[in-house]
Amino acid sequence: MDRFEEFCVQYQKMLSGEKTIFSSIERGRELMAELTSRPDWFCNYLIKIISHESSTGIERSGIWPNEYNIYRSPDKSFIVLAYIWEAGQADIIHDHNGWGVVGTLLGKMREKKYKRLDDGTKEGFCEIEEESDNVLGPGETTFVLPLNNGLHVMDNAADGIAVSINVYRKFIDRNYIQSFDPVGKKVTRLFPGRTLKEILAIKTLAEINPLQTEELLQKALGASKPPFLKKEYEEVLQKLRA
């Protein structure tokens, strides 16, 4: 059993005896610190990516283009993602659908945490302020909490490539996260690529052929669709009828 496999076994064991989120985060950060103290175990996964060994389960997935799914527990209780960051690369302020621990495997990662000041009841609006700003080297960790309690942004603080390893506990299944713009005070939903393409297709069809789109949306809303997707359809339909 290699270093990463041992990490996954220990993490699963930890979650099976989970008592509180914070005790699990504390233990999870200990395991993450040990995993990310040396990057040698990651070489095998990089070779598989380069060799296009799709059967390994490693794939670029999700919302971020630099995201790689390297493990999903059999009971779907947690997922391990690797992020490979080029020099100067940064993400955007966002929330999470579950709690998680994050460790720097290579290079240096900067994390800024934010606090939400508004109550979230006004659609598309937010007011947030920065709470902390830290740089993490190999073996150093941080954590995130679900939804409004876990707003943060990360970027590569090194001159070369940086790698972070993120482990997330399943919390809610809404199939999107939210990004936050502190200057414009806006909240935007971010979807995985496949879902985003469908939503953009609907919005574009609405611009070209409103009548056909309305008929299509009415049929779709009567079918079995995920709640988050129905919400997007309903918003397009309301604009067509306005």
Side-chain angles (χ1 to χ4, degrees), residues 130-182:
E130 185 180 317
E131 281 193 307
S132 64
D133 183 348
N134 294 296
V135 175
L136 309 171
E140 295 182 311
T141 69
T142 183
F143 71 95
V144 294
L145 295 172
L147 305 178
N148 289 330
N149 292 318
L151 307 189
H152 81 157
V153 62
M154 299 195 75
D155 69 86
N156 181 356
D159 293 331
I161 290 288
V163 178
S164 64
I165 304 296
N166 301 36
V167 184
Y168 295 111
R169 178 79 154 113
K170 185 178 180 181
F171 179 66
I172 59 172
D173 188 18
R174 61 179 180 176
N175 205 41
Y176 66 87
I177 62 172
Q178 296 188 118
S179 69
F180 296 78
D181 174 8

Side-chain angles (χ1 to χ4, degrees), residues 74-91:
D75 63 355
K76 298 182 180 180
S77 60
F78 72 98
I79 186 171
V80 185
L81 304 172
Y83 293 84
I84 300 177
W85 307 75
E86 294 191 89
Q89 186 173 0
D91 59 16

Side-chain angles (χ1 to χ4, degrees), residues 13-180:
K13 183 178 179 181
M14 179 268 290
L15 290 179
S16 65
E18 183 179 20
K19 294 181 179 179
T20 68
I21 287 180
F22 291 103
S23 63
S24 297
I25 286 174
E26 183 178 359
R27 176 56 179 152
R29 291 183 73 178
E30 291 174 357
L31 293 170
M32 179 61 77
E34 184 178 351
L35 176 69
T36 55
S37 62
R38 295 203 325 263
D40 53 322
W41 62 268
F42 195 53
C43 292
N44 288 335
Y45 295 88
L46 295 172
I47 291 168
K48 290 173 182 176
I49 293 169
I50 296 166
S51 303
H52 301 285
E53 296 182 26
S54 58
S55 61
T56 62
I58 298 176
E59 57 185 9
R60 199 171 77 173
S61 61
I63 292 168
W64 313 114
N66 63 328
E67 176 185 294
Y68 297 84
N69 178 349
I70 61 174
Y71 182 80
R72 185 182 296 273
S73 65
D75 63 355
K76 298 182 180 180
S77 60
F78 72 98
I79 186 171
V80 185
L81 304 172
Y83 293 84
I84 300 177
W85 307 75
E86 294 191 89
Q89 186 173 0
D91 59 16
I92 53 180
I93 303 170
H94 60 278
D95 64 7
H96 301 83
N97 293 335
W99 67 264
V101 297
V102 180
T104 299
L105 181 70
L106 183 69
K108 293 182 179 180
M109 292 299 303
R110 174 180 285 108
E111 181 200 35
K112 292 183 179 181
K113 291 184 183 293
Y114 290 82
K115 178 181 180 181
R116 187 163 187 176
L117 304 177
D118 65 300
D119 61 9
T121 57
K122 185 177 179 181
E123 184 73 21
F125 172 84
C126 72
E127 190 169 0
I128 62 176
E129 68 176 10
E130 185 180 317
E131 281 193 307
S132 64
D133 183 348
N134 294 296
V135 175
L136 309 171
E140 295 182 311
T141 69
T142 183
F143 71 95
V144 294
L145 295 172
L147 305 178
N148 289 330
N149 292 318
L151 307 189
H152 81 157
V153 62
M154 299 195 75
D155 69 86
N156 181 356
D159 293 331
I161 290 288
V163 178
S164 64
I165 304 296
N166 301 36
V167 184
Y168 295 111
R169 178 79 154 113
K170 185 178 180 181
F171 179 66
I172 59 172
D173 188 18
R174 61 179 180 176
N175 205 41
Y176 66 87
I177 62 172
Q178 296 188 118
S179 69
F180 296 78

